[in-house]
Amino acid sequence: PSDPSSAAFPAVAATIVPGSKVRLKGISINPARVGIFESLRDMGARIEQTNQREEGGEPVADLTIHGTALTSTYIPASRAASMIDEYPVLAMAAACATGTTRFDGVGELRVKESDRLATVEAGLRACGVTVETDADSMTIEGCGGPPRGGATIATSLDHRIAMSFLVLGMATEAPVEIDDIRPSETSFPGFAESMRKLGADIIDTS
């Protein structure tokens, strides 16, 4: 089964770039792994699930995601176990949504490859988004459309931070730069090239 954590990046990109339509094939829809897609649907994302089947003993399906206007939502702590690694990229969707989105029960993000709450907060603020965090939660005031962007993001060598802010840069008014894309190879080899094939303009300036 294809990994929902990796699928989250093109999925979020599709929701925040107007006119997008992306099909992701053979994605695991194990109930313990689909928090990111449930959360995007809660925000109004149009996600179609077809060709449900079993592969390797796991339920999978093809997902088609369309660009759409997103609205804020509340993500309870009970959902964290099913999407703990996907909160950084979901925060990019929340930054583009209308209204205030809150994530609770996300304190574990403070002890990942970086303090992901702190790095997401700093990066979004640099892109013109209002964000507040505490020990176990994050609140994002959505821009109701494209955030300003125009920032260089310190990724702290964290692969999910690097990929998340490149996704955000696909929708911002001004380009978003990250300090190092190499960590993305940790979990999504060929990330930049895969996104370029979908139309993303990712330029290596190193």
Side-chain angles (χ1 to χ4, degrees), residues 79-184:
R79 194 170 289 175
S82 68
M83 57 172 292
I84 193 64
D85 287 328
E86 288 79 75
Y87 280 103
V89 74
L90 184 63
M92 308 300 125
C96 298
T98 297
T100 302
T101 295
R102 180 179 174 91
F103 308 151
D104 276 341
V106 291
E108 183 181 337
L109 294 176
R110 298 242 181 234
V111 291
K112 291 288 188 176
E113 285 85 338
S114 68
D115 179 341
R116 287 180 176 164
L117 290 182
T119 51
V120 167
E121 179 179 20
L124 286 180
R125 284 180 179 273
C127 290
V129 182
T130 299
V131 187
E132 298 291 339
T133 63
D134 59 25
D136 200 37
S137 71
M138 170 175 281
T139 302
I140 299 168
E141 187 69 38
C143 296
R148 184 189 69 225
T152 298
I153 307 301
T155 62
S156 300
L157 296 177
D158 189 322
H159 53 125
R160 297 197 187 278
I161 299 300
M163 293 186 288
S164 294
F165 277 98
L166 286 177
V167 166
L168 182 67
M170 296 171 199
T172 49
E173 294 175 354
V176 171
E177 182 176 5
I178 62 169
D179 61 0
D180 196 343
I181 194 174
R182 290 173 298 176
S184 67

Side-chain angles (χ1 to χ4, degrees), residues 15-96:
T15 65
I16 65 176
V17 177
S20 294
K21 180 181 179 182
V22 173
R23 185 175 181 224
L24 305 173
K25 298 174 67 175
I27 307 300
S28 172
I29 54 170
N30 185 314
R33 299 292 313 281
V34 295
I36 180 64
F37 303 117
E38 292 175 352
S39 299
L40 287 171
R41 287 189 176 104
D42 287 349
M43 298 176 77
R46 182 181 165 197
I47 302 176
E48 300 168 359
Q49 182 172 300
T50 57
N51 194 21
Q52 186 167 336
R53 57 202 185 276
E54 186 172 293
E55 291 182 3
E58 286 283 310
V60 304
D62 300 337
L63 304 178
T64 303
I65 300 98
H66 301 259
T68 187
L70 300 177
T71 56
S72 60
T73 193
Y74 170 66
I75 309 297
S78 59
R79 194 170 289 175
S82 68
M83 57 172 292
I84 193 64
D85 287 328
E86 288 79 75
Y87 280 103
V89 74
L90 184 63
M92 308 300 125
C96 298

